[in-house]
Amino acid sequence: QVQLVESGGGLVQAGGSLRLSCAASGRTFSSYTMGWFRQAPGKEREFVAAISWSGGRLYYADSVKGRFTISRDNAKNTVYLQMNSLKPEDTAVYYCATFGGGSYYYTNSYDYWGQGTQVTVSS
């Protein structure tokens, strides 16, 4: 069992930055590939980024490549999402999740989810 708690969301102007954190409980955090997803109102939850257990492999959605950076600190049981050059279309609830198998890009491949943190980007 893993519990995930996201934080760091808020309201920011277009072009600004935010850093999201996802704190995990459980001693097996360092063995999990972790992912970030987001869900805008009226839309399906979509993949944002994923990071392997060691941090050596990173995966990004095309829409955030070059602007967002995923990282992790296994000593702190935390995964981060640094978001720069934010756009209004980045507005969504952002979720972190533990990868359970399959494709990194699909929600069905993840088993434990946090409650989400709201990110709102104003134009």
Side-chain angles (χ1 to χ4, degrees):
Q1 186 84 15
V2 177
Q3 291 186 326
L4 304 172
V5 179
E6 302 94 337
S7 61
L11 173 64
V12 64
Q13 287 189 333
S17 298
L18 283 174
R19 187 174 85 152
L20 305 184
S21 299
C22 171
S25 65
R27 291 178 290 179
T28 59
F29 170 79
S30 60
S31 67
Y32 284 106
T33 288
M34 298 294 297
W36 283 98
F37 284 74
R38 67 186 181 186
Q39 188 166 19
K43 295 189 176 181
E44 292 188 353
R45 194 169 296 189
E46 65 174 6
F47 172 79
V48 175
I51 184 167
S52 63
W53 68 271
S54 67
R57 288 175 292 168
L58 308 176
Y59 307 87
Y60 294 99
D62 288 343
S63 59
V64 307
K65 213 172 282 185
R67 301 188 298 122
F68 290 11
T69 303
I70 189 171
S71 62
R72 67 189 297 162
D73 185 339
N74 287 340
K76 296 182 178 180
N77 279 12
T78 302
V79 62
Y80 305 97
L81 186 68
Q82 177 67 43
M83 306 186 296
N84 298 329
S85 302
L86 282 161
K87 304 175 181 181
E89 50 264 44
D90 294 318
T91 295
V93 177
Y94 283 71
Y95 300 89
C96 66
T98 57
F99 178 70
S103 169
Y104 297 122
Y105 302 96
Y106 299 135
T107 57
N108 289 345
S109 300
Y110 295 77
D111 37 25
Y112 297 106
W113 293 81
Q115 83 292 345
T117 185
Q118 176 71 47
V119 171
T120 303
V121 184
S122 64
S123 57

